[in-house]
Structure formats: C-alpha cells, structure tokens
Amino acid sequence: MSQIVETKNDIISCRLATGDDINVICTSIDERAFIPAFLERSIASSHCHVALLNGSLIIGYAVLDYSFYAQAFIAMLRIHSSYRRRGVGLTLMKYLEQPVLCTTKKLFTSTNLSNLPMQSLLAKLQYKLTGIIHNLDDDGDPELVYYKTVAI
C-alpha cells in the first residue's frame, strides 16, 4: 500500500499518518488554527496520509475521506513550501488513487480558482473539472471541483 518514488537521490514514500505526526504537520506544513483538530479526527478515522522524504521527514499530507456524497474525496493536500513542484503532490495523489485506499469508482477533489499549481497537477493526472462552487469562502475565490474515474 506504500507509494515509493525516487527523485534525484531522494526517495518519496507515503504512509498512513499517526498521532505522532500532528505536531510536525502543524509546525512545518500547515499552521492554520483549525488544522490540529481536523488532523486528530482524520487520523482517528484512518483518513490522513503523509509523504516522507527518505523515509523520515514529513514533507506533505493528504486527507482522503468519504464525506462527499459517499464518494472518495481528497479533502486536503498540502506540501511543505520547500518541497513543492518536486513530485511530492504527484506521489501523494497516485498513492491515494490505489484501489486499496480509494474504494469508490470516482475520486473527487477541489481547489481554489487561484491555485494554478494544483490545477496543473490535476490536469497532469487526468482529473476532469466537474463543477464550480461560488461563495464558499469569504475571499471570493471560487472552488473548482474535479474528479477522476479510478480502478476499483
């Protein structure tokens, strides 16, 4: 169930997150106030996964749950700013697409209209735009919803 990718002498691997990972994620990747409680719930439900550099350094995380109309949904994907555009997001996404983790025919995710790097990643992985949600955030940045048919 592990995804391992080698890039320029570095190895990126993925695994299920544990409670011990929360502090690292909250201090180095995602410092937003609601994240600790979100991670606690996601880890308790076995929905949170981490990307590791060379087997030990957490450089990204993702949450895959079934809260979106009982469909698989990547509710969160965040990569440490120093490791963006180095294949970490791609590795995490491919890891989450595995049938052992994604147990529905379609996998959904979303991103803001302003998040061009994520839109580029989704296009690279052949996700299709399926909808737009306006007025979700107060900042006026619409949410784009994507899906991909995956093997189950």
Side-chain angles (χ1 to χ4, degrees):
M1 183 162 63
S2 179
Q3 178 82 13
I4 300 174
V5 175
E6 194 168 340
T7 60
K8 294 183 183 176
N9 302 322
D10 288 325
I11 297 173
I12 302 167
S13 59
C14 302
R15 66 163 169 78
L16 193 62
T18 69
D20 294 338
D21 300 328
I22 294 174
N23 187 51
V24 174
I25 294 169
C26 292
T27 58
S28 66
I29 298 170
D30 199 339
E31 298 177 357
R32 295 176 292 174
F34 72 92
I35 292 299
F38 174 72
L39 288 174
E40 285 178 15
R41 288 189 309 273
S42 298
I43 289 170
S45 302
S46 297
H47 292 156
C48 188
H49 305 267
V50 292
L52 304 167
L53 181 66
N54 298 322
S56 60
L57 179 64
I58 297 173
I59 55 174
Y61 80 97
V63 174
L64 172 68
D65 64 28
Y66 294 83
S67 62
F68 187 73
Y69 300 97
Q71 297 292 319
F73 182 73
I74 300 171
M76 188 72 67
L77 176 75
R78 299 277 289 204
I79 308 302
H80 188 287
S81 59
S82 298
Y83 296 94
R84 292 181 183 151
R85 298 188 185 164
R86 292 177 52 186
V88 181
L90 180 73
T91 301
L92 258 173
M93 293 287 288
K94 286 183 175 183
Y95 166 78
L96 295 173
E97 290 175 1
Q98 295 178 96
V100 70
L101 294 175
C102 179
T103 60
T104 58
K105 183 178 172 184
K106 294 178 183 175
L107 176 56
F108 289 83
T109 193
S110 68
T111 190
N112 289 103
L113 179 62
S114 64
N115 191 344
L116 298 179
M118 182 62 173
Q119 291 176 52
S120 176
L121 174 61
L122 294 171
K124 186 176 194 174
L125 289 167
Q126 300 180 331
Y127 281 73
K128 297 175 185 165
L129 181 65
T130 191
I132 301 173
I133 303 172
H134 293 277
N135 304 309
L136 187 61
D137 294 329
D138 291 336
D139 59 10
D141 194 3
E143 194 77 10
L144 305 177
V145 181
Y146 290 83
Y147 85 98
K148 180 179 183 176
T149 302
V150 293
I152 54 171

